[in-house]
Amino acid sequence: MLDNDEFRLETSPRELTQNPLRKIWMPCRNGHIAHRRVCMTNCPTIIVTVGLPARGKTYISKKLTRYLNWIGVPTKEFNVGQYRRECLKIYKSFEFFRPDNEEGLKIRRQCATSALNDVRQYLSVEGGQVAVFDATNTTRERRGTIVKFAEQSGFKVFFVESVCEDPDVIAQNIVQVKLGSPDYIHCDTEKAIEDFMKRIKCYESSYQPLDEVLDRDLSYIKIMDVGRRYLVNLVMDHIQSRIVYYLMNIHITPRSIYLCRHGESDLNIKGRIGGDSGLSARGREFAKSLGEFLQDQNIKDLKVWTSQMKRTIQTAESLGVPYEQWKSLNEINAGVCEEMMYEEIQEHFPLEFALRDQDKYRYRYPKGESYEDLVQRLEPVIMELERQENVLVVCHQAVMRCLLAYFLDKTADELPYLKCPLHTVLKLTPMAYGCKVESVYLGVDSVNTHRDRPERM
C-alpha cells in the first residue's frame, strides 16, 4: 500500500514534452517521456458474420478488415472455412456439411473453437482491436457460444447478417467466388455448382436468422438483398457505429475508379514540395491528353473530383466536363516546409528530415500534417467513392497514395512509398475479394517526384 508521499508523487501532474515525430504532447519525468496510462473507451470487438453460404459474408469481412486497418484500427480476419481446409486438406463433397454427419459436425466445431482461440490471442495478447469471425453462424446455439466466449474474455460482439433471396445474385456469387475456392480447384464447373447448391441446402433446414424479438439484446446489422434494406439493432459504441456507416455505403455494382495526379506543376519542375502553383507547359499538355483519354474510354456517367488547389482545377478545366472540388483532397500540408526542396529541408531542419525518414507515415511536419492525419481527412472521400459508380479523382501524390493504399490493402509502412507518377492514370476495378489495377501512361514527359525509401541504418 502506498503512503501519502508516494501517492502524491504518483498523482501529481507531470511535465509535458512534445514528441518530436508526431508533434503530440506527452508526460515526462526527469527529462524522459513516461509511458502513457492508456484509457480505452472501446474494449476489443468481435465482428461475427451470419448467413447462408454464397451471401457475401467473406466479401463483407475482407472489406471491413481492409477499411478498419486503413483508418488505424488493428483488425484481423479469421475465416473458419480456411481452418477447415487446413484440417481436412482435401474436400470431397457437400456430404461433409450434412446436419446428420456427426464426424463433419465434430470437425467443424473444432475448427470454430480453434479460430476463437486465435481470436483471443490476437485481441488479448497481440494488440488487436477488432477480430472478424467469418463463418455461417446460422444457429442461435452457435451464436450463443460466441457471445459466452466474448463475455468471458472481456470482448464486445457485433453481428453482421447478410440475407439474400435473389437467385441471380447468389448464382453470380457462386460463379465469381466459390468456383475459385480451393474446394473446387480441380472440379468441373457444372459439378462444382451442383455440389455447392447442395451445400447451401445442408444449412437451410437449421438456419435461424437474427430475430427482432428473440435477439433484441444483441448488437447487429442485418443487410437484406445486397443493401436494398438494413435493420440495425443496439449499436453500443463508436467502432460499431463506424462499421454500420461503412456497411451502409458499400455496393457491388460493377464500376471503375480512375486516380491520377494533376499535370506537372511549376513547383514540380523546381523540385519544391507543396505550394499552390499552376501547371507547367507539359502539365497543360497532360491535361489535354487526359481529356482525349476519357473521350476514348467513353465512360458511362463519369464523375470528376478535384482538390481545391490550382493545379488540379487547371487539369480538370481541360477535360470539358463538370467537376466537383473537395477540400479533403488537398495535398498533405508540409507546414514550415511548404515550397522547400528536400535538400533545403535537410540543411535547415536536419532533425525533422531524419525523423521523417524514420517513420514517414506517422511523422508530422511542424505546423503541418502527417500521412496518418491525411488518412483521417480522406475517410469521407472513401465513403463517397464506395457509394458512387464511375469516378475520376484528380489529386496529389500523398493523397493518391492514401486512396491507393485503401483499395490495394497496403500497410501504413508501405503507404508513403507507393509509386504514383505524374501523367499516369490508374484504373481500379473492384473485384470479388480485391481490386484489379491498370496503369495507363499518357505519353507526356514529366519530372519524377518519387523519393525512395531510405536504406535502414
Side-chain angles (χ1 to χ4, degrees):
M1 189 171 177
L2 295 172
D3 62 29
N4 288 340
D5 289 339
E6 288 176 312
F7 181 76
R8 277 195 294 273
L9 179 66
E10 179 64 24
T11 59
S12 60
R14 292 169 288 181
E15 294 297 319
L16 298 182
T17 187
Q18 195 176 51
N19 175 294
L21 182 78
R22 303 172 75 178
K23 312 297 186 289
I24 57 178
W25 291 98
M26 308 202 48
C28 69
R29 183 159 285 142
N30 300 325
H32 298 287
I33 293 177
H35 292 292
R36 281 195 299 169
R37 284 169 281 188
V38 179
C39 177
M40 294 298 295
T41 303
N42 299 315
C43 64
T45 297
I46 309 176
I47 299 171
V48 180
T49 62
V50 177
L52 294 169
R55 266 53 178 187
K57 297 183 301 299
T58 299
Y59 168 80
I60 290 168
S61 297
K62 288 184 179 296
K63 287 207 73 153
L64 257 181
T65 300
R66 175 160 56 88
Y67 162 70
L68 291 170
N69 277 316
W70 184 76
I71 62 172
V73 179
T75 304
K76 188 174 179 180
E77 178 195 8
F78 296 82
N79 182 288
V80 177
Q82 194 58 39
Y83 283 77
R84 186 257 305 164
R85 291 183 195 101
E86 289 171 7
C87 177
L88 276 183
K89 304 299 181 187
I90 298 172
Y91 170 77
K92 293 180 180 178
S93 78
F94 75 94
E95 299 278 353
F96 175 79
F97 295 96
R98 287 173 60 100
D100 58 355
N101 184 338
E102 291 296 332
E103 183 63 21
L105 284 169
K106 181 181 175 183
I107 292 172
R108 285 154 59 195
R109 284 196 196 99
Q110 287 173 347
C111 292
T113 300
S114 181
L116 284 174
N117 287 336
D118 287 348
V119 164
R120 183 191 285 118
Q121 172 75 12
Y122 177 67
L123 295 179
S124 298
V125 179
E126 297 173 16
Q129 190 64 23
V130 175
V132 183
F133 188 75
D134 179 18
T136 52
N137 301 309
T138 46
T139 65
R140 201 156 277 114
E141 179 189 8
R142 169 60 63 84
R143 298 194 291 268
T145 300
I146 296 169
V147 169
K148 186 177 179 181
F149 163 84
E151 287 173 349
Q152 291 172 346
S153 304
F155 308 145
K156 290 181 181 176
V157 178
F158 187 77
F159 292 97
V160 176
E161 182 175 27
S162 180
V163 179
C164 182
E165 304 300 333
D166 187 331
D168 292 336
V169 173
I170 296 168
Q172 185 182 31
N173 192 20
I174 292 172
V175 172
Q176 284 186 351
V177 179
K178 300 305 177 184
L179 297 187
S181 158
D183 292 345
Y184 299 110
I185 201 155
H186 298 301
C187 188
D188 173 75
T189 299
E190 287 187 15
K191 287 182 179 177
I193 292 173
E194 182 184 356
D195 182 86
F196 197 85
M197 292 303 291
K198 288 178 179 177
R199 191 197 290 196
I200 294 174
K201 289 288 183 188
C202 291
Y203 283 94
E204 284 180 342
S205 59
S206 60
Y207 179 28
Q208 298 170 306
L210 289 166
D211 184 271
E212 284 186 71
V213 177
L214 297 176
D215 299 308
R216 61 184 177 275
D217 294 330
L218 298 180
S219 298
Y220 65 83
I221 178 172
K222 187 190 283 267
I223 304 167
M224 289 162 274
D225 291 323
V226 204
R228 285 203 180 99
R229 289 191 301 131
Y230 303 90
L231 175 63
V232 180
N233 188 70
L234 210 61
V235 173
M236 298 294 287
D237 59 29
H238 176 63
I239 286 290
Q240 293 181 11
S241 69
R242 288 180 89 157
I243 290 166
V244 167
Y245 181 45
Y246 180 73
L247 291 176
M248 291 180 73
N249 279 282
I250 63 176
H251 65 83
I252 58 169
T253 306
R255 45 68 178 268
S256 289
I257 295 159
Y258 299 81
L259 301 179
C260 75
R261 292 170 63 188
H262 52 79
E264 178 188 74
S265 73
D266 293 329
L267 285 178
N268 286 150
I269 292 175
K270 295 173 183 175
R272 298 186 176 277
I273 67 172
D276 194 19
S277 64
L279 298 182
S280 68
R282 292 188 302 197
R284 290 191 290 274
E285 186 183 345
F286 163 74
K288 182 181 175 185
S289 297
L290 181 60
E292 293 167 357
F293 167 78
L294 294 178
Q295 281 188 330
D296 292 342
Q297 292 284 299
N298 192 28
I299 306 161
K300 182 184 176 184
D301 299 326
L302 179 70
K303 293 185 178 178
V304 179
W305 299 349
T306 74
S307 72
Q308 291 186 350
M309 306 192 91
K310 186 177 181 181
R311 51 197 183 274
T312 63
I313 297 168
Q314 280 185 320
T315 303
E317 274 293 320
S318 297
L319 305 181
V321 296
Y323 58 90
E324 182 179 351
Q325 296 178 24
W326 286 65
K327 187 175 182 181
S328 299
L329 287 169
N330 284 3
E331 180 58 307
I332 191 169
N333 181 357
V336 299
C337 298
E338 280 282 311
E339 299 193 26
M340 293 179 73
M341 299 169 69
Y342 283 118
E343 295 81 2
E344 292 172 342
I345 298 172
Q346 190 171 18
E347 179 184 350
H348 296 289
F349 305 106
L351 176 60
E352 296 296 329
F353 189 84
L355 285 169
R356 190 163 191 264
D357 281 350
Q358 179 183 313
D359 187 346
K360 192 174 178 182
Y361 180 77
R362 293 172 184 82
Y363 169 81
R364 181 179 284 138
Y365 283 105
K367 300 183 180 180
E369 291 179 300
S370 64
Y371 272 94
E372 191 174 31
D373 297 328
L374 191 52
V375 162
Q376 300 303 316
R377 166 150 66 88
L378 287 168
E379 189 182 1
V381 177
I382 287 295
M383 285 294 181
E384 196 57 33
L385 279 174
E386 286 289 4
R387 289 178 63 86
Q388 296 294 330
E389 294 183 15
N390 297 314
V391 181
L392 165 67
V393 184
V394 183
C395 54
H396 307 265
Q397 181 167 251
V399 170
M400 188 167 165
R401 282 171 173 159
C402 292
L403 298 178
L404 199 56
Y406 167 78
F407 287 105
L408 302 188
D409 198 15
K410 298 297 182 181
T411 65
D413 188 51
E414 296 171 304
L415 183 156
Y417 296 100
L418 295 176
K419 290 187 177 179
C420 299
L422 287 164
H423 301 176
T424 299
V425 178
L426 294 186
K427 179 182 178 182
L428 309 179
T429 305
M431 311 294 282
Y433 293 160
C435 206
K436 178 185 174 185
V437 186
E438 299 168 75
S439 179
V440 184
Y441 172 58
L442 297 192
V444 180
D445 286 343
S446 67
V447 295
N448 178 13
T449 62
H450 183 81
R451 187 167 171 266
D452 287 326
R453 183 195 297 270
E455 291 184 13
R456 297 290 184 192
M457 299 296 289

